[in-house]
Amino acid sequence: MTTPSIGQLLDSTVPMARTLKLEYLETTPERAVLRLPDQPEYHNHVGGPHAGAMFTLAESASGCIVLGAFGDQLSRAVPLAVSAEIAYKKLAMGAVTATAVLGRPAADIVAELDKGERPEFPVTVEITRADGAVTGVMTVIWTLRPNS
């Protein structure tokens, strides 16, 4: 049996990600890079990607890095987003890419879980357009909620 990729796992458990036809360019424990293709049905009033679509792109990228870094912990803890903050910096047009990175070492987070704690940790996501300009920055605070 083949283990599903992180992108396949996210698409199967989060229908919104599948609806937006997100492309999973890189999904590792260190970094997740997702792309939102340019799709007219998700445009805003100025012809770029809607803020809600960009939010979902960035939050999905943060979820991918959480799955990449802590997928081996899913039998004992559930990853949950606690809060998210996004800043829209420049006008986004065309396809946009979200790059997520963990804000704390994964080993430290697992050590807290090992002590019976419910660790919280930030994931920072930059959204860029094709010319490399940063159009948005999101920080998602995640937790690993122990199953017991």
Side-chain angles (χ1 to χ4, degrees):
M1 218 164 119
T2 308
T3 303
S5 70
I6 291 171
Q8 290 168 326
L9 182 59
L10 193 76
D11 274 352
S12 69
T13 57
V14 183
M16 183 68 168
R18 187 174 57 247
T19 299
L20 290 177
K21 301 176 182 80
L22 299 180
E23 298 169 357
Y24 302 91
L25 307 179
E26 180 182 340
T27 54
T28 69
E30 293 78 34
R31 192 168 104 121
V33 182
L34 277 63
R35 183 173 176 267
L36 173 65
D38 187 21
Q39 301 170 80
E41 62 269 31
Y42 300 115
H43 282 178
N44 59 19
H45 63 290
V46 294
H50 189 278
M54 289 193 298
F55 185 100
T56 300
L57 167 69
E59 196 274 343
S60 297
S62 78
C64 282
I65 199 165
V66 169
L67 289 172
F70 305 109
D72 61 340
Q73 304 298 319
L74 296 180
S75 63
R76 66 182 187 141
V78 176
L80 298 169
V82 174
S83 65
E85 184 175 312
I86 192 165
Y88 300 101
K89 303 287 190 179
K90 290 188 179 188
L91 185 62
M93 298 299 283
V96 289
T97 302
T99 302
V101 294
L102 276 177
R104 291 180 51 207
D108 293 353
I109 297 163
V110 172
E112 289 178 22
L113 189 62
D114 289 342
K115 290 192 266 182
E117 298 173 10
R118 183 176 170 165
E120 287 192 1
F121 53 94
V123 175
T124 303
V125 185
E126 276 194 350
I127 305 168
T128 56
R129 57 188 187 209
D131 67 0
V134 175
T135 62
V137 178
M138 175 186 261
T139 301
V140 182
I141 303 299
W142 284 86
T143 189
L144 296 178
R145 185 189 75 199
N147 290 338
S148 55

